[in-house]
């Protein structure tokens, strides 16, 4: 009964809680236990569903023939560079927000649509912070490629979710089913904190990116070991 309980749908939770309480001979009128078990089961099963949803989005390749994908990409530009119009869909201007070449679609290969959705979410919900980080990324000595680093941090957030490291954070944050939005919010925290970390560390050059990225990764993993942890940006 307990093993089955962590793989249930939301609609089955109450029945499952009754079964567990009956199996363990716990008074069915113990509302405190019932409520806590309900929340716990929703969180555990919800974490698994969230991972599957994130994984499914990661598996969707960026498609320049897909109107919705193209609209999201243009939205990213408009959110970050409202004062400057794109001269064309394929243009060197994309390098101004940290893509590698004339066409950003090639940079989404590793993380698929998830990388773009994360970048747009940060720019849309934390616009001032996103523009501030973009501005920092253009620093003459400590600069880095904003969009490329953003996609790299999508991979970090994804891997932390996949290996279960985000459980305490999400369980503390959500009394019930964690949603895709909660994953995006954690991503926003990573981008903002990485920018601060990068400038505090003052790397000699972008060539040392992997070394400092791993140091930051270890720092985040350390924070996530705290059972009371919640890592979010406040807006």
């Amino acid at each position: 009964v307990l093993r089955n309980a962590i793989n249930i749908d939301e609609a089955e939770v109450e029945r499952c809680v009754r079964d567990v309480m009956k199996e363990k001979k716990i008074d069915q009128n113990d509302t405190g236990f019932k409520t806590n078990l309900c929340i716990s089961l929703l969180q555990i099963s919800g974490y698994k569903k969230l991972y599957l949803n994130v994984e499914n989005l990661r598996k969707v390749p960026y498609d320049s023939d897909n109107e919705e994908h193209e609209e999201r990409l243009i939205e990213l530009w408009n959110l970050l560079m409202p004062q400057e119009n794109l001269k064309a869909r394929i243009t060197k201007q994309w390098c101004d927000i940290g893509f590698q070449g004339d066409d950003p679609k090639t940079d989404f290969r590793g993380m698929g649509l998830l990388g773009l959705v994360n970048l747009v979410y940060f720019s849309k919900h934390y616009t001032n912070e996103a523009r501030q980080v973009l501005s920092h990324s253009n620093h003459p000595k400590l600069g880095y490629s904003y969009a490329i680093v953003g996609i790299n941090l999508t991979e970090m957030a994804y891997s932390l979710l996949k290996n279960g490291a985000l459980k305490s954070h999400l369980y503390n944050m959500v009394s019930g089913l964690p949603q895709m939005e909660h994953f995006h919010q954690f991503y926003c925290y990573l981008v903002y904190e990485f920018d601060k970390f990068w400038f505090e560390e003052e790397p000699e050059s972008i060539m040392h990116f992997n070394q400092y990225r791993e140091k930051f990764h270890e720092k985040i993993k350390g924070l996530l070991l705290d059972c009371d942890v919640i890592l979010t940006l406040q807006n």
Side-chain angles (χ1 to χ4, degrees):
V1 171
L2 287 169
R3 259 198 302 272
N4 292 337
I6 62 172
N7 294 302
I8 53 167
D9 290 325
E10 188 175 1
E12 299 174 301
V13 168
E14 285 193 27
R15 175 192 58 74
C16 193
V17 167
R18 285 196 301 272
D19 290 348
V20 169
M21 293 176 78
K22 181 180 177 184
E23 187 73 24
K24 304 304 288 183
K25 298 181 173 58
I26 298 166
D27 183 0
Q28 294 285 342
N29 295 318
D30 187 340
T31 53
F33 180 88
K34 190 177 286 186
T35 299
N36 287 334
L37 185 56
C38 265
I39 290 170
S40 297
L41 292 179
L42 285 172
Q43 289 176 323
I44 293 167
S45 60
Y47 190 95
K48 293 179 178 182
K49 289 194 184 83
L50 175 60
Y51 167 68
L52 290 174
N53 289 338
V54 169
E55 173 70 352
N56 287 337
L57 192 55
R58 187 188 71 84
K59 285 179 178 175
V60 177
Y62 186 89
D63 181 3
S64 53
D65 293 325
N66 184 309
E67 194 175 325
E68 186 184 332
H69 294 191
E70 289 286 286
E71 284 173 1
R72 287 192 190 210
L73 184 59
I74 301 303
E75 182 183 12
L76 176 65
W77 175 270
N78 291 336
L79 285 163
L80 291 172
M81 304 287 279
Q83 75 288 358
E84 189 178 331
N85 291 325
L86 273 176
K87 294 182 175 68
R89 165 60 181 80
I90 296 177
T91 168
K92 285 264 186 267
Q93 285 176 285
W94 289 113
C95 297
D96 295 344
I97 59 172
F99 286 103
Q100 286 180 321
D102 298 359
D103 192 347
K105 75 174 185 181
T106 57
D107 294 325
F108 293 116
R109 280 178 190 150
M111 286 290 110
L113 200 58
L114 181 63
L116 176 58
V117 170
N118 273 169
L119 284 167
V120 171
Y121 187 95
F122 181 46
S123 302
K124 193 171 184 176
H125 294 269
Y126 300 93
T127 308
N128 290 336
E129 289 84 351
R131 290 175 186 169
Q132 177 189 330
V133 173
L134 174 62
S135 174
H136 291 171
S137 76
N138 290 318
H139 189 280
K141 183 174 181 290
L142 297 171
Y144 56 86
S145 298
Y146 174 85
I148 295 298
V149 169
I151 295 167
N152 195 290
L153 292 170
T154 288
E155 194 281 327
M156 186 182 294
Y158 164 77
S159 66
L160 289 167
L161 178 72
K162 183 178 182 179
N163 68 24
L166 290 190
K167 283 181 180 176
S168 289
H169 161 72
L170 287 172
Y171 293 170
N172 291 330
M173 191 179 177
V174 191
S175 292
L177 291 166
Q179 306 292 333
M180 184 69 82
E181 182 180 4
H182 301 119
F183 176 78
H184 294 327
Q185 286 171 358
F186 174 70
Y187 166 81
C188 295
Y189 170 87
L190 283 186
V191 176
Y192 191 74
E193 290 299 317
F194 178 80
D195 179 68
K196 286 200 298 188
F197 172 84
W198 182 261
F199 278 85
E200 285 165 5
E201 293 287 328
E202 297 187 353
E204 286 178 31
S205 81
I206 193 65
M207 301 302 291
H208 298 286
F209 173 77
N210 287 340
Q211 172 191 338
Y212 285 94
R213 187 237 193 235
E214 197 47 43
K215 189 175 179 182
F216 179 70
H217 193 190
E218 291 301 317
K219 178 184 176 181
I220 296 299
K221 285 194 285 188
L223 293 173
L224 290 169
L225 292 175
D226 179 358
C227 60
D228 296 318
V229 70
I230 298 180
L231 302 179
T232 55
L233 266 180
Q234 302 299 319
N235 66 352

